[in-house]
Amino acid sequence: MTQQPSPAQPPRLAAWLVDLFASREQAESILGDLSEEFSDLASRSGIANARRWYRLQSAKTIAHLAGAAFHATPPSLAVALFLGFLLSWFSGALPAQLIIALLRTQRPYSSRHYEAYVWLLAYGIPIVSITQSLLIGCVVALLARGREMVAAIALSLLRAAPLAWLLFIFFGRTPLARPVIPFLGPFLFSRALDLIGIVVGGVIVRKARSASASRLAAV
Amino acid sequence: MSAREYLGEFEHMVLLAVLRLGDQAYGVTVRREIEARTRREVSIGAIYATLDRLEAKTLVQSRVGDPTPERGGRSKRFFRVTAPGVSAVKHTHRALRSLTEGLALLGVSS
């Protein structure tokens, strides 16, 4: 008895990303259409071509969905972005304050204490800062119902813009400042992690909402 | 009809494709119809973004079909043009015809 070959599957990551950016109703029909065209293309011109087509179509689809969400500019999206920006602006110093307050309550009496003290000093602020960004991403995504990813990415870009602009002005116009770049590395890395944290917060809320809607639909 | 209700170029194409396809108008067929007739490459995302906008303007209506295996168990979303949609197509055509009238340069006979 010969085993039937399993049908070709579309690229999972691309499908996952489309699902993130589309509303639940959109995701059902868009992913279905993409799968139908993928199967058709795979049988006509091979799986490699079909996969390439699927990835390109997914990227274009995500761009259109994000663009449409901005174009519609529902009040919830604007409010979510405004509140998210305020929240991240005013709580910016909170991680450092928290860790310093915690360190003040501790005294490195023994060598074990000392190691923990140094570890907290070195990694405490970045960890709390990423957690804070994750929570801000969650809040923004909760407020921007149906447009979670667009809101989280927009807030991330809003927060990155002033820093990118300053770096461009500073390093673009003063070539002598270029040797300073390596020293900015850790700072830029921690900023990048913060921005990723906001987007991950959006992903968490989007996926949780999607799962809860699917459960409700199944009942 | 107000100026706001005139169709954009791509909205116009999508509405005409949905009208041509009748009962079989869903994302894949609309995309293929536009590509075959205009030789313009369009993405599924562009089709859905436009159809959603047209639905919000009540120019099209959608209904969900049954899930099929070749679509990974997902259902199709069929579209049909509403009466205001047909009216918007007619208005836009009239406006375009009026603008192209007498332009022999384009080889338009109206």
Side-chain angles (χ1 to χ4, degrees), chain A residues 15 25-37 39-40 44 53 56-57 60-62 64-65 68 71, chain B residues 26-28 31-32 35 41-46 48-49 52-53 67-68 70-77:
Chain A
E25 302 77 36
Q26 280 179 328
E28 172 85 7
S29 42
I30 291 175
L31 288 172
D33 284 358
L34 286 172
S35 288
E36 188 180 327
E37 295 238 42
S39 306
D40 187 43
R44 280 192 290 117
W53 177 89
L56 186 67
Q57 278 290 321
K60 285 181 180 175
T61 297
I62 288 168
H64 277 289
L65 291 173
H71 192 256
Chain B
Y26 67 101
V28 172
R31 195 182 82 81
R32 285 179 183 169
E35 280 195 354
E41 205 174 298
V42 287
S43 70
I44 293 278
Y48 273 97
D52 283 340
R53 198 163 60 243
T68 55
E70 75 268 20
R71 295 171 59 84
R74 296 184 181 95
S75 29
K76 289 175 185 168
R77 188 168 154 210

Side-chain angles (χ1 to χ4, degrees), chain B:
Chain B
M1 186 184 183
S2 74
R4 276 174 67 92
E5 286 168 277
Y6 282 106
L7 299 167
E9 185 212 13
F10 196 60
E11 287 179 336
H12 196 181
M13 282 187 190
V14 170
L15 271 183
L16 288 173
V18 174
L19 277 170
R20 295 188 72 86
L21 290 161
D23 291 345
Q24 288 306 308
Y26 67 101
V28 172
T29 53
V30 172
R31 195 182 82 81
R32 285 179 183 169
E33 184 75 11
I34 292 173
E35 280 195 354
R37 292 193 179 268
T38 66
R39 298 191 182 167
R40 173 178 168 172
E41 205 174 298
V42 287
S43 70
I44 293 278
I47 298 286
Y48 273 97
T50 307
L51 282 168
D52 283 340
R53 198 163 60 243
L54 291 172
E55 194 168 29
K57 291 181 191 174
T58 68
L59 301 182
V60 295
Q61 265 181 356
S62 69
R63 68 176 173 84
V64 176
D66 293 325
T68 55
E70 75 268 20
R71 295 171 59 84
R74 296 184 181 95
S75 29
K76 289 175 185 168
R77 188 168 154 210
F78 290 101
F79 292 88
R80 73 170 191 85
V81 181
T82 60
V86 174
S87 170
V89 169
K90 281 182 184 168
H91 275 88
T92 307
H93 265 289
R94 213 169 292 151
L96 288 174
R97 205 181 308 129
S98 164
L99 281 166
T100 50
E101 230 167 38
L103 289 177
L105 191 70
L106 299 175
V108 178
S109 56
S110 51

Side-chain angles (χ1 to χ4, degrees), chain A residues 165-180:
Chain A
W165 184 73
L166 276 175
L167 287 173
F168 177 75
I169 295 291
F170 186 56
F171 292 109
R173 293 195 180 161
T174 51
L176 287 175
R178 280 184 192 142
V180 182

